[in-house]
Amino acid sequence: MSAPDPPRIGLGWDRHRLEPGRPCVLGGLEIDSPLGPAAHSDGDALLHALTDALLGAAGEPDLGSLFPDSDPAWKDAPSTRFLEEALRRLRARGLEPWSADLVVVCDRPRLAPHRDRLRRALAALLGLPVDRVNLKGKSTEGGPGGDRIEVTAVVLAGPAA
Ligand code: MG
């Protein structure tokens, strides 16, 4: 009998410029904010980073290769579709997400009032208990480059139980 596959780690990163008058979708939820991401899809930086982390753990191509922004099929697409496809590919390899951790860098909107709701939403999308998914907000104290959101995500995945 062969040994079980070892766990695998995946890393994802995303950044979007934020502009007035765009809906602000994060973790598949609409957040009350005067600013939202400029993007071809819904610009959900949280799900884009998380999707790339899942694809990384699965040893699959990245988000931009699977869902190119030159393809009109993905215009204004909900990013939950990208995440679901990444999960499908991970599970096709006999793997499940075990835990995820994310860092969100953003000055406006502030993440803190939404943190618990976002954490629960991400856990539900991944099929994990909330204590296996964490989310930290950081501000830049008004750094250069204007308003933007930047997300780094790591996922640990391993054989399905
Ligand atoms: Mg993106």
Side-chain angles (χ1 to χ4, degrees):
M1 198 176 115
S2 61
D5 284 343
R8 300 166 65 132
I9 198 162
L11 172 66
W13 178 88
D14 195 32
R15 178 163 67 192
H16 284 268
R17 198 174 64 250
L18 297 173
E19 295 180 342
R22 293 267 309 176
C24 187
V25 180
L26 277 181
L29 306 175
E30 186 148 349
I31 299 296
D32 186 27
S33 166
L35 304 173
H40 184 73
S41 67
D42 63 8
D44 191 330
L46 228 60
L47 292 194
H48 293 179
L50 189 56
T51 297
D52 258 340
L54 289 165
L55 291 168
E60 291 281 329
D62 68 8
L63 181 72
S65 306
L66 293 177
F67 310 104
D69 61 9
S70 56
D71 185 341
W74 306 117
K75 176 146 175 50
D76 298 322
S79 297
T80 47
R81 283 175 62 191
F82 306 150
L83 187 95
E84 282 159 9
E85 175 60 14
L87 276 174
R88 192 191 66 75
R89 288 175 179 244
L90 187 74
R91 287 173 175 145
R93 293 175 179 249
L95 299 165
E96 281 287 340
W98 284 0
S99 67
D101 195 15
L102 297 97
V103 176
V104 182
V105 180
C106 187
D107 292 334
R108 301 187 294 166
R110 289 195 17 89
L111 189 78
H114 309 290
R115 182 177 172 272
D116 289 345
R117 192 162 65 105
L118 289 170
R119 196 177 170 197
R120 285 196 301 273
L122 296 180
L125 287 167
L126 293 170
L128 287 173
V130 175
D131 70 351
R132 300 245 191 147
V133 178
N134 218 331
L135 183 66
K136 278 101 72 183
K138 300 277 179 190
S139 65
T140 67
E141 312 296 343
D147 277 293
R148 64 194 189 281
I149 184 166
E150 186 174 307
V151 182
T152 305
V154 288
V155 164
L156 185 68

